[in-house]
Amino acid sequence: MIVGVPRERKEDEYRVALTPAGVRELTDRGHRVLVEQGAGEGSALADRRFMATGATLVSNPDELWAAADLVLKVKEPEPEEYGRLGLHRDQVLFTYLHLAASRAVTEALLTAGNTAIGYETVRLPDGSLPLLTPMSEVAGRMAPLVSAHHLMRPGGGRGSLICGVPGVGCANVTIIGAGVAGMAAATIAVGLHARVRVLDRDLERLRRADHHFRGALDTVASSAHAVEEACLDADVVIGAVLVVGARAPMLVSDDLVARMPEGSVLVDLSVDQGGCFQSSRPTTHSDPTFPVHGSLFYCVANMPGAVPHTSTHALANATLPYTLAIAEHGWRDAARSDPSLAAGVNVSGGAVVLQPVAEAHGLPWRSLP
Ligand SMILES: NC(=O)c1ccc[n+]([C@@H]2O[C@H](COP(=O)([O-])OP(=O)(O)OC[C@H]3O[C@@H](n4cnc5c(N)ncnc54)[C@H](O)[C@@H]3O)[C@@H](O)[C@H]2O)c1
């Protein structure tokens, strides 16, 4: 198989989908790997390191997309890439897709007619998401750090120190969602000596959080009322909910934000699934925040892109076994023998094959043949 690794086009995205170690795993098995020049630069992976493990460098992305049977990316295709999606009809695209949040990307893939497998919907039998987990760990750990920065005056905030000092209280941090990202955020927020509260509608998740943190935070069963109470005195709110494949539920209204303490910081990790705060809209690392009723919203949809040295390796460690399975057996057989991978197939042959994506856009769907 020919495997292609283009340079990411999204603004401030410095990750790359494959490392030189992954190139070697593929070339050792007889596959050809095309890497776009400069694809790894943002992650301190120079072209020569890819070449040293057997990759061929390609300068023209059209050439790469036209030749590759399997394209490995990090983020969903950008508009400048839509035209490249149809250059190779039987191509498989393996990347984060977040289609429920983007009609434009969904339509571009349907028009291209090939197969797209979304990292974020690959799902193990226990319900966990092995290819979202590493990035949720990164973004979750970053969330209290960016909150701490944006609470400070130079970060645009009211000028509070998240951990307080003797005699002056610490920040109240409310985390909605006790999944991978929420728990990662809680770990760092507790470490920063903030007062932390975690909400989830899944009591089992709250039980685990309670057991893990042994009293270092409060757990709260989520409901509209509980979210409201937990936001009204919050200095920081971190939205970390997920309904797999679907658009994120809207949990924090503008009206509620208007009643929160002036200068609070709200970090919406779920913005990649449409956002769980009413006024969330994706922002970038170069312009990450915007004001809403006296509070500051941080809605960067590719937070791990800011720490590519960590994220590229964390992501590639998780995706490589699936990449190898697709390269070795083709996506159909690989998906037939692994229901986890089958759950990742979002569109194929011009049709949506993942129900929540179809429902998000009012499109028809069919199950995988
Ligand atoms: N912005 C970024 O850069 C970035 C990076 C990685 C992950 N994410 C996003 O972070 C979000 C969380 O990911 P995760 O891996 O932690 O997911 P997860 O499945 O591990 O956890 C999600 C949690 O949300 C809870 N939940 C769902 N609906 C809820 C509701 N209405 N009220 C309260 N809780 C609810 C679930 O019970 C679950 O515990 C996802 O949208 C993911 O795409 C964003």
Short mmCIF file of all heavy atoms in Angstrom, two decimals, residues 15 75 96 98 120 127 129 132-133 135-140 176-183 199-202 205 222-223 227 239-244 248-249 251 268-273 299-305, ligand 1:
data_model
loop_
_atom_site.label_atom_id
_atom_site.label_comp_id
_atom_site.label_asym_id
_atom_site.label_seq_id
_atom_site.Cartn_x
_atom_site.Cartn_y
_atom_site.Cartn_z
N ARG A 15 1.32 19.38 14.69
CA ARG A 15 1.50 17.93 14.81
C ARG A 15 1.64 17.29 13.42
O ARG A 15 1.32 17.89 12.42
CB ARG A 15 0.28 17.29 15.51
CG ARG A 15 0.19 17.60 16.98
CD ARG A 15 -1.12 17.15 17.57
NE ARG A 15 -2.23 17.97 17.12
CZ ARG A 15 -3.51 17.75 17.45
NH1 ARG A 15 -3.82 16.73 18.21
NH2 ARG A 15 -4.45 18.55 17.03
N LYS A 75 -5.68 16.61 11.67
CA LYS A 75 -6.97 17.33 11.74
C LYS A 75 -7.80 17.08 10.49
O LYS A 75 -7.29 16.65 9.46
CB LYS A 75 -6.74 18.83 11.92
CG LYS A 75 -6.19 19.22 13.28
CD LYS A 75 -7.03 18.72 14.44
CE LYS A 75 -8.31 19.49 14.64
NZ LYS A 75 -9.10 18.98 15.80
N TYR A 96 -8.58 12.80 12.58
CA TYR A 96 -9.71 13.35 13.33
C TYR A 96 -10.64 14.01 12.32
O TYR A 96 -10.19 14.79 11.47
CB TYR A 96 -9.25 14.41 14.34
CG TYR A 96 -8.57 13.84 15.55
CD1 TYR A 96 -7.24 14.11 15.83
CD2 TYR A 96 -9.27 13.01 16.44
CE1 TYR A 96 -6.61 13.57 16.95
CE2 TYR A 96 -8.64 12.47 17.56
CZ TYR A 96 -7.33 12.75 17.79
OH TYR A 96 -6.71 12.21 18.89
N HIS A 98 -14.45 14.86 13.24
CA HIS A 98 -15.46 15.69 13.93
C HIS A 98 -16.55 16.14 12.97
O HIS A 98 -16.90 17.32 12.90
CB HIS A 98 -14.78 16.89 14.62
CG HIS A 98 -13.75 16.50 15.62
ND1 HIS A 98 -14.07 15.85 16.79
CD2 HIS A 98 -12.40 16.63 15.62
CE1 HIS A 98 -12.96 15.61 17.48
NE2 HIS A 98 -11.94 16.06 16.79
N GLU A 120 -11.71 9.91 16.30
CA GLU A 120 -12.50 10.15 17.52
C GLU A 120 -13.69 9.21 17.68
O GLU A 120 -14.31 9.21 18.74
CB GLU A 120 -12.97 11.62 17.56
CG GLU A 120 -14.09 11.99 16.60
CD GLU A 120 -13.63 12.19 15.16
OE1 GLU A 120 -12.43 11.99 14.88
OE2 GLU A 120 -14.47 12.51 14.31
N GLY A 127 -16.48 0.94 25.48
CA GLY A 127 -16.98 2.30 25.23
C GLY A 127 -15.88 3.35 25.18
O GLY A 127 -16.13 4.50 24.82
N LEU A 129 -12.45 5.42 23.97
CA LEU A 129 -12.08 5.94 22.64
C LEU A 129 -10.56 6.02 22.56
O LEU A 129 -9.96 7.04 22.92
CB LEU A 129 -12.71 7.34 22.46
CG LEU A 129 -14.22 7.39 22.70
CD1 LEU A 129 -14.71 8.82 22.85
CD2 LEU A 129 -14.96 6.70 21.57
N LEU A 132 -8.93 9.04 20.79
CA LEU A 132 -9.23 10.37 21.32
C LEU A 132 -8.51 10.54 22.67
O LEU A 132 -8.07 11.64 23.03
CB LEU A 132 -10.74 10.55 21.51
CG LEU A 132 -11.21 11.95 21.90
CD1 LEU A 132 -10.85 12.95 20.80
CD2 LEU A 132 -12.71 11.98 22.15
N THR A 133 -8.37 9.41 23.38
CA THR A 133 -7.83 9.45 24.73
C THR A 133 -6.51 10.23 24.85
O THR A 133 -6.41 11.13 25.69
CB THR A 133 -7.66 8.02 25.29
OG1 THR A 133 -8.96 7.47 25.40
CG2 THR A 133 -6.97 7.99 26.64
N MET A 135 -5.20 12.61 23.12
CA MET A 135 -5.35 14.06 22.91
C MET A 135 -6.24 14.67 23.98
O MET A 135 -6.08 15.83 24.37
CB MET A 135 -5.89 14.35 21.51
CG MET A 135 -4.94 13.94 20.40
SD MET A 135 -3.27 14.68 20.51
CE MET A 135 -2.32 13.39 21.29
N SER A 136 -7.20 13.89 24.48
CA SER A 136 -8.02 14.39 25.59
C SER A 136 -7.17 14.55 26.84
O SER A 136 -7.36 15.47 27.64
CB SER A 136 -9.19 13.44 25.87
OG SER A 136 -10.08 13.45 24.78
N GLU A 137 -6.21 13.63 27.00
CA GLU A 137 -5.29 13.75 28.14
C GLU A 137 -4.47 15.03 28.02
O GLU A 137 -4.28 15.76 29.00
CB GLU A 137 -4.36 12.52 28.20
CG GLU A 137 -5.08 11.28 28.70
CD GLU A 137 -4.32 9.98 28.45
OE1 GLU A 137 -3.39 9.97 27.62
OE2 GLU A 137 -4.69 8.97 29.05
N VAL A 138 -4.00 15.31 26.80
CA VAL A 138 -3.19 16.52 26.60
C VAL A 138 -4.06 17.77 26.82
O VAL A 138 -3.70 18.66 27.61
CB VAL A 138 -2.56 16.54 25.18
CG1 VAL A 138 -1.89 17.88 24.92
CG2 VAL A 138 -1.57 15.39 25.00
N ALA A 139 -5.20 17.83 26.11
CA ALA A 139 -6.04 19.04 26.19
C ALA A 139 -6.58 19.22 27.61
O ALA A 139 -6.65 20.34 28.13
CB ALA A 139 -7.19 18.95 25.19
N GLY A 140 -6.94 18.11 28.24
CA GLY A 140 -7.46 18.17 29.62
C GLY A 140 -6.40 18.74 30.56
O GLY A 140 -6.68 19.60 31.39
N ILE A 176 -17.12 20.25 33.75
CA ILE A 176 -18.33 19.51 33.35
C ILE A 176 -17.90 18.37 32.45
O ILE A 176 -17.40 18.59 31.34
CB ILE A 176 -19.35 20.42 32.63
CG1 ILE A 176 -19.53 21.74 33.38
CG2 ILE A 176 -20.69 19.69 32.48
CD1 ILE A 176 -20.42 22.75 32.65
N GLY A 177 -18.07 17.14 32.93
CA GLY A 177 -17.61 15.96 32.21
C GLY A 177 -16.46 15.31 32.97
O GLY A 177 -15.41 15.94 33.14
N ALA A 178 -16.68 14.09 33.47
CA ALA A 178 -15.63 13.39 34.23
C ALA A 178 -15.06 12.25 33.41
O ALA A 178 -14.77 11.17 33.92
CB ALA A 178 -16.19 12.88 35.56
N GLY A 179 -14.91 12.50 32.10
CA GLY A 179 -14.28 11.50 31.23
C GLY A 179 -12.77 11.69 31.22
O GLY A 179 -12.20 12.19 32.20
N VAL A 180 -12.15 11.32 30.12
CA VAL A 180 -10.69 11.39 30.06
C VAL A 180 -10.21 12.84 30.22
O VAL A 180 -9.35 13.13 31.04
CB VAL A 180 -10.19 10.81 28.71
CG1 VAL A 180 -8.68 10.95 28.61
CG2 VAL A 180 -10.61 9.36 28.58
N ALA A 181 -10.77 13.76 29.41
CA ALA A 181 -10.32 15.15 29.46
C ALA A 181 -10.66 15.78 30.82
O ALA A 181 -9.84 16.49 31.41
CB ALA A 181 -10.95 15.96 28.33
N GLY A 182 -11.86 15.51 31.31
CA GLY A 182 -12.29 16.08 32.58
C GLY A 182 -11.41 15.62 33.74
O GLY A 182 -11.01 16.43 34.59
N MET A 183 -11.08 14.35 33.74
CA MET A 183 -10.23 13.82 34.83
C MET A 183 -8.80 14.37 34.71
O MET A 183 -8.16 14.66 35.73
CB MET A 183 -10.21 12.29 34.79
CG MET A 183 -11.53 11.65 35.21
SD MET A 183 -11.85 11.85 36.98
CE MET A 183 -10.93 10.46 37.64
N LEU A 199 -18.60 17.60 37.43
CA LEU A 199 -19.98 17.15 37.20
C LEU A 199 -20.01 16.13 36.06
O LEU A 199 -19.24 16.26 35.10
CB LEU A 199 -20.88 18.32 36.77
CG LEU A 199 -21.17 19.39 37.82
CD1 LEU A 199 -20.07 20.44 37.82
CD2 LEU A 199 -22.51 20.03 37.56
N ASP A 200 -20.87 15.16 36.18
CA ASP A 200 -21.12 14.22 35.07
C ASP A 200 -22.49 13.63 35.28
O ASP A 200 -22.98 13.58 36.42
CB ASP A 200 -20.04 13.12 35.03
CG ASP A 200 -19.92 12.48 33.65
OD1 ASP A 200 -20.90 11.86 33.19
OD2 ASP A 200 -18.85 12.62 33.02
N ARG A 201 -23.11 13.21 34.18
CA ARG A 201 -24.41 12.56 34.37
C ARG A 201 -24.24 11.06 34.60
O ARG A 201 -25.19 10.36 34.93
CB ARG A 201 -25.32 12.84 33.17
CG ARG A 201 -24.73 12.38 31.88
CD ARG A 201 -25.63 12.67 30.71
NE ARG A 201 -25.06 12.04 29.54
CZ ARG A 201 -25.57 12.06 28.34
NH1 ARG A 201 -26.70 12.69 28.13
NH2 ARG A 201 -24.98 11.44 27.33
N ASP A 202 -23.01 10.56 34.42
CA ASP A 202 -22.72 9.14 34.61
C ASP A 202 -22.16 8.96 36.04
O ASP A 202 -21.03 9.36 36.33
CB ASP A 202 -21.69 8.72 33.55
CG ASP A 202 -21.30 7.26 33.65
OD1 ASP A 202 -21.52 6.66 34.72
OD2 ASP A 202 -20.75 6.73 32.67
N ARG A 205 -18.75 7.28 36.58
CA ARG A 205 -17.58 8.15 36.37
C ARG A 205 -17.31 8.98 37.63
O ARG A 205 -16.17 9.19 38.01
CB ARG A 205 -17.84 9.10 35.20
CG ARG A 205 -18.06 8.38 33.90
CD ARG A 205 -16.86 8.52 33.02
NE ARG A 205 -16.95 7.69 31.84
CZ ARG A 205 -16.29 7.93 30.72
NH1 ARG A 205 -15.51 8.96 30.63
NH2 ARG A 205 -16.37 7.13 29.70
N SER A 222 -24.75 15.58 37.34
CA SER A 222 -25.07 16.70 36.45
C SER A 222 -26.56 16.77 36.13
O SER A 222 -27.21 15.74 35.92
CB SER A 222 -24.27 16.55 35.15
OG SER A 222 -24.36 17.73 34.41
N SER A 223 -27.08 17.98 36.13
CA SER A 223 -28.44 18.28 35.68
C SER A 223 -28.40 19.77 35.32
O SER A 223 -27.42 20.45 35.66
CB SER A 223 -29.45 18.06 36.81
OG SER A 223 -29.21 18.99 37.85
N VAL A 227 -25.61 22.25 36.99
CA VAL A 227 -24.65 23.01 36.18
C VAL A 227 -24.76 24.49 36.53
O VAL A 227 -23.77 25.19 36.73
CB VAL A 227 -24.90 22.78 34.67
CG1 VAL A 227 -24.11 23.78 33.82
CG2 VAL A 227 -24.53 21.35 34.27
N GLY A 239 -15.49 22.90 30.04
CA GLY A 239 -16.50 22.02 29.42
C GLY A 239 -15.80 20.85 28.77
O GLY A 239 -14.99 21.04 27.87
N ALA A 240 -16.09 19.62 29.23
CA ALA A 240 -15.38 18.44 28.72
C ALA A 240 -16.36 17.28 28.54
O ALA A 240 -16.09 16.17 28.95
CB ALA A 240 -14.26 18.06 29.69
N VAL A 241 -17.50 17.59 27.91
CA VAL A 241 -18.50 16.53 27.71
C VAL A 241 -18.36 15.96 26.30
O VAL A 241 -17.82 16.59 25.40
CB VAL A 241 -19.95 17.05 27.92
CG1 VAL A 241 -20.14 17.52 29.34
CG2 VAL A 241 -20.28 18.16 26.93
N LEU A 242 -18.87 14.75 26.14
CA LEU A 242 -18.85 14.13 24.81
C LEU A 242 -19.99 13.13 24.70
O LEU A 242 -20.21 12.32 25.59
CB LEU A 242 -17.52 13.39 24.58
CG LEU A 242 -17.41 12.63 23.25
CD1 LEU A 242 -17.36 13.60 22.07
CD2 LEU A 242 -16.18 11.75 23.23
N VAL A 243 -20.72 13.23 23.59
CA VAL A 243 -21.66 12.18 23.20
C VAL A 243 -21.09 11.69 21.87
O VAL A 243 -21.06 12.45 20.89
CB VAL A 243 -23.09 12.74 23.02
CG1 VAL A 243 -24.03 11.63 22.59
CG2 VAL A 243 -23.56 13.42 24.30
N VAL A 244 -20.58 10.46 21.86
CA VAL A 244 -19.73 10.01 20.76
C VAL A 244 -20.38 10.23 19.39
O VAL A 244 -21.51 9.81 19.15
CB VAL A 244 -19.36 8.52 20.91
CG1 VAL A 244 -18.48 8.06 19.74
CG2 VAL A 244 -18.61 8.33 22.22
N ALA A 248 -22.04 18.25 20.56
CA ALA A 248 -22.02 18.38 22.03
C ALA A 248 -23.34 19.00 22.51
O ALA A 248 -23.89 19.87 21.84
CB ALA A 248 -20.85 19.26 22.45
N PRO A 249 -23.83 18.57 23.68
CA PRO A 249 -25.05 19.20 24.23
C PRO A 249 -24.72 20.61 24.72
O PRO A 249 -23.62 20.86 25.23
CB PRO A 249 -25.42 18.29 25.40
CG PRO A 249 -24.14 17.63 25.81
CD PRO A 249 -23.30 17.52 24.56
N LEU A 251 -24.82 23.24 27.39
CA LEU A 251 -25.06 23.14 28.84
C LEU A 251 -24.95 24.47 29.57
O LEU A 251 -25.51 24.62 30.66
CB LEU A 251 -24.06 22.14 29.45
CG LEU A 251 -24.12 20.71 28.88
CD1 LEU A 251 -23.02 19.85 29.47
CD2 LEU A 251 -25.47 20.08 29.16
N ASP A 268 -13.84 25.75 26.61
CA ASP A 268 -14.73 24.74 26.03
C ASP A 268 -13.93 23.73 25.22
O ASP A 268 -13.64 23.92 24.04
CB ASP A 268 -15.79 25.41 25.12
CG ASP A 268 -16.95 24.45 24.83
OD1 ASP A 268 -16.79 23.24 25.09
OD2 ASP A 268 -18.00 24.93 24.37
N LEU A 269 -13.56 22.61 25.90
CA LEU A 269 -12.83 21.56 25.19
C LEU A 269 -13.71 20.92 24.13
O LEU A 269 -13.25 20.47 23.09
CB LEU A 269 -12.36 20.49 26.19
CG LEU A 269 -11.35 20.92 27.24
CD1 LEU A 269 -11.12 19.80 28.24
CD2 LEU A 269 -10.03 21.27 26.58
N SER A 270 -15.02 20.90 24.39
CA SER A 270 -15.95 20.22 23.48
C SER A 270 -16.22 21.03 22.23
O SER A 270 -17.08 20.63 21.42
CB SER A 270 -17.27 19.94 24.21
OG SER A 270 -17.04 19.26 25.41
N VAL A 271 -15.52 22.14 22.05
CA VAL A 271 -15.79 22.99 20.88
C VAL A 271 -15.56 22.23 19.58
O VAL A 271 -16.19 22.52 18.56
CB VAL A 271 -14.92 24.28 20.94
CG1 VAL A 271 -13.45 23.98 20.72
CG2 VAL A 271 -15.44 25.32 19.97
N ASP A 272 -14.68 21.20 19.62
CA ASP A 272 -14.47 20.44 18.38
C ASP A 272 -15.71 19.63 18.00
O ASP A 272 -15.82 19.14 16.88
CB ASP A 272 -13.22 19.53 18.48
CG ASP A 272 -13.25 18.61 19.69
OD1 ASP A 272 -14.21 18.66 20.47
OD2 ASP A 272 -12.29 17.82 19.84
N GLN A 273 -16.62 19.46 18.95
CA GLN A 273 -17.89 18.77 18.65
C GLN A 273 -19.03 19.80 18.66
O GLN A 273 -20.17 19.45 18.91
CB GLN A 273 -18.15 17.67 19.68
CG GLN A 273 -17.20 16.49 19.60
CD GLN A 273 -17.38 15.64 18.34
OE1 GLN A 273 -16.44 15.25 17.66
NE2 GLN A 273 -18.63 15.36 17.99
N CYS A 299 -11.69 28.80 23.30
CA CYS A 299 -12.33 27.72 22.51
C CYS A 299 -11.42 27.19 21.41
O CYS A 299 -11.85 27.02 20.26
CB CYS A 299 -13.63 28.24 21.87
SG CYS A 299 -14.87 28.77 23.05
N VAL A 300 -10.17 26.94 21.74
CA VAL A 300 -9.25 26.44 20.71
C VAL A 300 -9.57 24.96 20.45
O VAL A 300 -9.59 24.14 21.37
CB VAL A 300 -7.78 26.61 21.18
CG1 VAL A 300 -6.83 26.00 20.16
CG2 VAL A 300 -7.47 28.09 21.38
N ALA A 301 -9.84 24.67 19.18
CA ALA A 301 -10.32 23.32 18.85
C ALA A 301 -9.17 22.32 18.68
O ALA A 301 -9.42 21.12 18.59
CB ALA A 301 -11.16 23.38 17.58
N ASN A 302 -7.95 22.82 18.62
CA ASN A 302 -6.81 21.89 18.49
C ASN A 302 -5.75 22.23 19.55
O ASN A 302 -4.60 22.50 19.22
CB ASN A 302 -6.21 21.92 17.07
CG ASN A 302 -5.66 23.29 16.71
OD1 ASN A 302 -6.10 24.31 17.23
ND2 ASN A 302 -4.68 23.30 15.82
N MET A 303 -6.18 22.19 20.80
CA MET A 303 -5.26 22.55 21.88
C MET A 303 -3.95 21.75 21.85
O MET A 303 -2.87 22.32 22.02
CB MET A 303 -5.95 22.41 23.24
CG MET A 303 -7.03 23.47 23.45
SD MET A 303 -7.99 23.20 24.94
CE MET A 303 -6.78 23.52 26.22
N PRO A 304 -4.01 20.43 21.60
CA PRO A 304 -2.74 19.68 21.61
C PRO A 304 -1.76 20.15 20.55
O PRO A 304 -0.57 19.87 20.64
CB PRO A 304 -3.19 18.23 21.34
CG PRO A 304 -4.63 18.19 21.77
CD PRO A 304 -5.17 19.53 21.40
N GLY A 305 -2.24 20.89 19.55
CA GLY A 305 -1.36 21.43 18.52
C GLY A 305 -0.33 22.40 19.10
O GLY A 305 0.69 22.66 18.47
N1 LIG B 1 -10.30 21.22 22.12
C1 LIG B 1 -9.37 20.28 21.97
O1 LIG B 1 -8.26 20.54 21.56
C2 LIG B 1 -9.71 18.86 22.36
C3 LIG B 1 -8.71 17.87 22.43
C4 LIG B 1 -9.07 16.58 22.81
C5 LIG B 1 -10.40 16.30 23.11
N2 LIG B 1 -11.33 17.28 22.99
C6 LIG B 1 -12.75 17.09 23.27
O2 LIG B 1 -12.99 16.97 24.66
C7 LIG B 1 -14.28 16.39 24.82
C8 LIG B 1 -14.24 15.33 25.92
O3 LIG B 1 -13.49 14.21 25.47
P1 LIG B 1 -13.22 12.94 26.41
O4 LIG B 1 -12.19 12.10 25.73
O5 LIG B 1 -12.98 13.38 27.81
O6 LIG B 1 -14.61 12.20 26.33
P2 LIG B 1 -15.14 11.08 27.37
O7 LIG B 1 -16.13 10.26 26.61
O8 LIG B 1 -14.01 10.38 28.03
O9 LIG B 1 -15.89 11.93 28.48
C9 LIG B 1 -17.02 12.67 28.20
C10 LIG B 1 -17.87 12.72 29.45
O10 LIG B 1 -18.97 13.61 29.19
C11 LIG B 1 -20.06 13.11 29.95
N3 LIG B 1 -21.28 13.73 29.46
C12 LIG B 1 -21.90 13.58 28.26
N4 LIG B 1 -23.01 14.34 28.21
C13 LIG B 1 -23.08 14.99 29.39
C14 LIG B 1 -24.00 15.93 29.95
N5 LIG B 1 -25.07 16.34 29.24
N6 LIG B 1 -23.76 16.39 31.19
C15 LIG B 1 -22.69 15.99 31.90
N7 LIG B 1 -21.80 15.09 31.44
C16 LIG B 1 -21.99 14.61 30.20
C17 LIG B 1 -19.99 11.61 29.72
O11 LIG B 1 -20.74 10.89 30.69
C18 LIG B 1 -18.49 11.37 29.84
O12 LIG B 1 -18.10 11.03 31.16
C19 LIG B 1 -14.65 15.85 23.42
O13 LIG B 1 -15.55 16.72 22.77
C20 LIG B 1 -13.34 15.83 22.71
O14 LIG B 1 -13.49 15.87 21.29
C21 LIG B 1 -10.99 18.54 22.63
#
